[in-house]
Amino acid sequence: MNKSSKSILLIDDDKFINFYNKKILKKHNPSNIITIVNSGAKALKHLQNAMNGLVEKPNIIFLDINMPAMDGWEFIEVYDKINPEFTCDIQLIMLTTSSNPKDQEKAKTSAIIDNFINKPLSLKLLDNTLKDLKFSLK
């Protein structure tokens, strides 16, 4: 991975949304490394592999809420138990279609979730979100 590229982990069970979001992220910076997993459990396995040095550690995670088997909130519960030295510099963004105000409120009160946005991504939404976080994918 070169200095201008970032590692991005997309966690969503919707293949079309993943395809679309990957295109937006690549438009933002073509050199970014984008990993897509379709469940929270696979995301946790990816993070374990990153801790073991087998794959790139993600700089940013985009997490869907509504997924079968392990939803976004269940992922967050386990993610919260991962060594904070590993997770402290990972930006975690809930990227969801949920319009449930309880989900938004829960995300706002979470120390782990850095932002809560609605899918799909757009270049403008991505730019604004990254600006709010003072984070760059370039």
Side-chain angles (χ1 to χ4, degrees):
M1 184 162 83
N2 66 45
K3 287 181 182 176
S4 67
S5 65
K6 302 282 191 208
S7 178
I8 301 163
L9 179 59
L10 290 175
I11 309 169
D12 198 315
D13 62 319
D14 186 318
K15 286 181 184 178
F16 175 76
I17 288 290
N18 286 329
F19 175 80
Y20 180 82
N21 287 341
K22 183 177 180 178
K23 277 182 111 51
I24 294 295
L25 290 162
K26 282 291 188 181
K27 275 185 182 178
H28 192 76
N29 183 353
S31 69
N32 286 334
I33 299 163
I34 301 168
T35 302
I36 298 171
V37 294
N38 63 5
S39 73
K42 288 180 181 173
L44 292 169
K45 177 130 181 76
H46 179 81
L47 291 171
Q48 184 63 53
N49 286 338
M51 284 186 271
N52 293 331
L54 303 173
V55 297
E56 285 290 336
K57 174 184 169 180
N59 301 100
I60 192 164
I61 296 172
F62 290 94
L63 173 66
D64 186 25
I65 294 176
N66 300 310
M67 295 179 289
M70 176 184 264
D71 70 17
W73 296 118
E74 292 166 323
F75 170 85
I76 292 288
E77 284 178 31
V78 179
Y79 180 86
D80 189 29
K81 295 177 180 133
I82 295 174
N83 184 340
E85 287 181 24
F86 178 80
T87 60
C88 68
D89 58 348
I90 299 173
Q91 301 290 310
L92 195 139
I93 298 172
M94 284 284 206
L95 179 62
T96 183
T97 55
S98 173
S99 56
N100 184 339
K102 288 181 181 175
D103 284 336
Q104 290 183 355
E105 200 51 46
K106 190 173 179 180
K108 280 182 190 172
T109 59
S110 169
I112 297 167
I113 301 167
D114 295 297
N115 209 328
F116 184 100
I117 57 176
N118 288 310
K119 340 180 201 183
L121 273 180
S122 67
L123 281 173
K124 184 177 181 180
L125 178 60
L126 180 59
D127 285 339
N128 290 340
T129 301
L130 295 174
K131 192 168 134 188
D132 288 347
L133 295 174
K134 296 176 178 57
F135 186 81
S136 174
L137 286 176
K138 294 185 177 177

